[in-house]
Amino acid sequence: MTVFISDSPAAGSSPSIVAVHSNAYGQWTALFTPKGLAGIWFPNDGNAPPCTEGENPLRTDRMDNWIRETFRTIDLMLTVPRTGHELTVPMDLGDATDFQRKVWEALLRIPAGEVRTYQEIGRDLNMPGASRAVGNACGRNPIPLLIPCHRVRRSDGSLGGFSAGIEWKKILLRLENSSGTQSAWETSSLNVTQPALL
């Protein structure tokens, strides 16, 4: 694990630090503020915040614990994805709307290995006509994977979108062995090596 000072306005005016972590899939980037985890970027994401190595007064024992727990949870979700890993790090969702927060809370209730449709999420929120708004909220999720928007698809069975790219969505659903994605790993064009399951 390497920790850097953020040079980026990605967290608005909040002071922040960026941490990077490499595993079998590549280098992951996470952004933290004093309130908690504020962003996750998948490997090779050109939108990950730029950073420079150095000292940062924000880097406390508590922050280091958040960083370790975040990357430990990511690694577990990618190697033993069906065992229900719950992130204990607080999340800083910034200026998210109430609706977005409700959608993201609904995503956290979807167990690994299961999927929901955008329409089902809307119905769960007593907004049955809000499928498009649910999809938009999923697309604005700042902490993909840990807030599992990859577990939501369209009512017609197609995968829909994913902020990290559709190939990552296929891989994650394949790892979690969700219905209809048995060949997702084989059909992915990403150049990553599938790690052995523990």
Side-chain angles (χ1 to χ4, degrees):
M1 175 183 69
T2 309
V3 179
F4 297 96
I5 300 173
S6 174
D7 286 338
S8 166
S13 60
S14 300
S16 60
I17 67 172
V18 172
V20 294
H21 168 72
S22 294
N23 60 24
Y25 293 87
Q27 182 172 282
W28 299 77
T29 303
L31 181 83
F32 296 85
T33 73
K35 295 180 180 178
L37 174 62
I40 289 285
W41 289 265
F42 281 57
N44 303 314
D45 187 333
N47 294 314
C51 50
T52 55
E53 190 169 8
E55 295 298 322
N56 190 314
L58 285 179
R59 190 172 180 191
T60 61
D61 288 344
R62 181 178 70 161
M63 183 76 72
D64 279 353
N65 288 336
W66 289 351
I67 293 169
R68 280 192 294 271
E69 175 63 14
T70 296
F71 290 132
R72 184 189 72 85
T73 303
I74 288 173
D75 286 347
L76 287 172
M77 288 183 73
L78 294 170
T79 54
V80 281
R82 293 296 295 274
T83 55
H85 308 291
E86 184 173 332
L87 183 70
T88 59
V89 174
M91 296 183 190
D92 180 0
L93 300 177
D95 57 358
T97 66
D98 288 343
F99 178 76
Q100 287 171 337
R101 289 172 186 268
K102 288 177 181 177
V103 170
W104 299 338
E105 288 168 3
L107 301 181
L108 289 168
R109 293 191 292 270
I110 305 173
E114 296 185 19
V115 293
R116 302 287 185 274
T117 66
Y118 299 109
Q119 186 177 54
E120 287 171 331
I121 298 293
R123 280 202 303 264
D124 289 346
L125 299 176
N126 295 315
M127 300 179 70
S131 297
R132 185 182 297 271
V134 169
N136 289 337
C138 288
R140 292 183 180 275
N141 171 13
I143 309 175
L145 179 61
L146 300 180
I147 298 178
C149 51
H150 62 279
R151 296 177 189 155
V152 187
R153 63 184 179 192
R154 294 179 177 147
S155 297
D156 65 4
S158 60
L159 291 179
F162 187 54
S163 61
I166 198 66
E167 297 301 329
W168 273 112
K169 189 168 189 174
K170 289 178 182 178
I171 286 173
L172 295 174
L173 290 173
R174 173 68 176 103
L175 286 172
E176 295 178 353
N177 199 23
S178 295
S179 175
T181 62
Q182 294 300 309
S183 62
W185 184 272
E186 291 78 4
T187 61
S188 169
S189 62
L190 286 177
N191 185 24
V192 294
T193 302
Q194 184 179 18
L197 299 182
L198 300 179

